């Protein structure tokens, strides 16, 4: 195995472009190192990006948006004094990943690029409208998070490309987000269903919404029908029921030992309603 520790993302991209065989990037390592030690994947080239300047930075930009370095850990997100105030659902989603020890290493970028349909942080990122900066042989491009996963364990990243930053929009006024999941155990389990909701209000009326579902299809879904079900409403019972119906209709899950197709489809609707209520309360400045 060839190990590299590049000084910048352009160098990391160049190394990946020239590499042959299996290439993996190392940020937190909670997926890559587990797969390596389990002999599920043995990389020919391992590119450690943890030493690049800025990869551990959480930056609030002048316009209120956020830029997160690719090696920012879940623990660092949870401990940040302001990020959780703006995006509590996103921070809570990341905080659900693994144990306290895992939180000290796990990253949004690794969770996204692992390509799991059940990744907890991905529905929350998609609901938030997050993008990632991708550095490749042709320079940088900005990609919506929902466009990165293409299937279980697969992403849209091409040879030589590496995620170099996570970009979270400005929270703005009268907005709120939430993420909920169902798991068989109380903690440290893989989501059977996950739902992220982000919305904005004008008075009591919802004017903007994004709803994302995880673990119910080959990739995490951004469901426009769910958003349309609640936009223009004050999240009354009729709107909530329409949201639940749209969420269940969007599901294309599998049967496995953690949940049946029927169960996942039903739970998606239930969690969508619950997450929407929490996001709505937060947008109104109320206790969720």
């Amino acid at each position: 195995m060839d190990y590299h520790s590049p000084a910048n993302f352009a160098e990391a991209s160049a190394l990946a472009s020239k590499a042959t065989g299996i290439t993996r990037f190392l940020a937190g390592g909670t997926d890559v190192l587990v797969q390596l030690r389990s002999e599920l994947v043995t990389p020919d080239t391992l590119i450690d990006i943890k030493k690049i300047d800025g990869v551990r930075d959480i930056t609030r930009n002048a316009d209120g948006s956020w830029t997160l370095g690719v090696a920012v850990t879940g623990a660092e997100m949870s401990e940040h004094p302001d990020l959780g105030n703006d995006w509590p659902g996103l921070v809570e989603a990341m905080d659900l990943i693994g144990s306290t020890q895992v939180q000290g290493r796990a990253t949004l970028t690794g969770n996204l690029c692992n390509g799991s349909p059940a990744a907890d942080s991905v529905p929350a990122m998609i609901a938030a409208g997050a993008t990632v900066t991708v550095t490749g042989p042709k320079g940088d491009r900005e990609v919506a998070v929902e466009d990165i996963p293409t299937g279980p364990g697969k992403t849209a990243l091409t040879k030589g490309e590496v995620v170099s930053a996570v970009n979270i929009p400005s929270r703005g006024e009268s907005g709120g987000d939430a993420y909920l999941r169902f798991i068989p155990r109380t903690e440290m389990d893989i989501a059977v269903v996950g739902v992220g909701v982000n919305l904005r209000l004008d008075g009591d009326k919802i004017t903007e919404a994004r709803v994302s579902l995880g673990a119910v299809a080959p990739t995490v879904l951004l469901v426009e029908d769910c958003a349309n079900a609640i936009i223009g409403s004050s999240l009354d019972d009729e709107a909530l029921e329409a949201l639940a119906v749209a969420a269940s209709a969007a599901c294309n899950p599998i049967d496995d030992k953690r949940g049946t197709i029927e169960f996942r489809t039903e739970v998606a609707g239930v969690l969508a309603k619950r997450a929407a209520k929490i996001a709505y309360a937060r947008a109104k400045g109320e206790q969720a």
Side-chain angles (χ1 to χ4, degrees):
M1 183 190 303
D2 292 328
Y3 171 86
H4 302 277
S5 183
N8 52 60
F9 283 104
E11 183 183 346
S13 172
L15 287 166
S17 297
K18 296 175 183 177
T20 59
I22 299 172
T23 300
R24 289 291 186 270
F25 292 98
L26 181 62
T30 57
D31 287 314
V32 170
L33 294 180
V34 170
Q35 293 168 3
L36 193 156
R37 294 184 67 177
S38 302
E39 298 184 351
L40 295 174
V41 176
T42 304
D44 299 286
T45 303
L46 188 63
I47 302 173
D48 186 346
I49 58 177
K50 294 194 301 297
K51 298 178 183 178
I52 297 175
D53 286 345
V55 296
R56 299 290 292 275
D57 293 349
I58 299 176
T59 305
R60 188 170 197 170
N61 303 307
D63 64 355
S65 65
W66 296 85
T67 302
L68 276 61
V70 296
V72 169
T73 67
E76 288 167 333
M77 290 175 62
S78 297
E79 293 165 2
H80 193 276
D82 299 314
L83 180 61
N85 291 330
D86 261 11
W87 293 101
L90 176 59
V91 173
E92 288 166 357
M94 187 63 196
D95 191 49
L96 289 173
I97 298 172
S99 62
T100 299
Q101 293 89 338
V102 169
Q103 280 292 307
R105 302 294 296 179
T107 67
L108 287 174
T109 307
N111 200 226
L112 172 63
C113 293
N114 191 47
S116 171
D120 280 307
S121 72
V122 179
M125 282 196 283
I126 291 174
T131 66
V132 292
T133 302
V134 176
T135 300
K138 297 181 181 180
D140 291 348
R141 61 190 180 104
E142 191 168 350
V143 184
V145 167
E146 59 264 31
D147 293 332
I148 293 294
T150 58
K154 299 179 180 179
T155 72
L157 300 176
T158 61
K159 185 174 177 60
E161 288 191 322
V162 54
V163 173
S164 51
V166 178
N167 312 300
I168 312 297
S170 172
R171 171 69 279 173
E173 297 295 326
S174 301
D177 73 320
Y179 174 78
L180 293 176
R181 71 175 183 184
F182 176 84
I183 57 174
R185 302 187 297 177
T186 57
E187 59 183 330
M188 287 193 295
D189 208 340
I190 299 170
V192 176
V193 179
V195 180
V197 176
N198 178 40
L199 50 79
R200 189 176 311 283
L201 304 180
D202 182 1
D204 291 334
K205 296 285 186 177
I206 298 171
T207 57
E208 302 173 25
R210 287 171 67 92
V211 180
S212 182
L213 306 179
V216 295
T219 63
V220 178
L221 304 175
L222 175 64
V223 186
E224 188 174 347
D225 286 347
C226 286
N228 291 337
I230 58 175
I231 290 175
S233 79
S234 56
L235 207 65
D236 53 25
D237 290 344
E238 183 179 352
L240 285 168
E241 187 56 35
L243 169 62
V245 169
S248 293
C251 295
N252 181 27
I254 60 171
D255 279 317
D256 66 13
K257 63 184 179 182
R258 294 182 296 113
T260 64
I261 291 172
E262 293 79 8
F263 181 76
R264 283 188 160 102
T265 301
E266 175 69 19
V267 170
V270 173
L271 289 186
K273 291 195 291 185
R274 292 179 182 175
K277 288 180 180 179
I278 295 171
Y280 187 86
R282 286 172 170 167
K284 290 181 70 67
E286 299 171 355
Q287 186 69 32

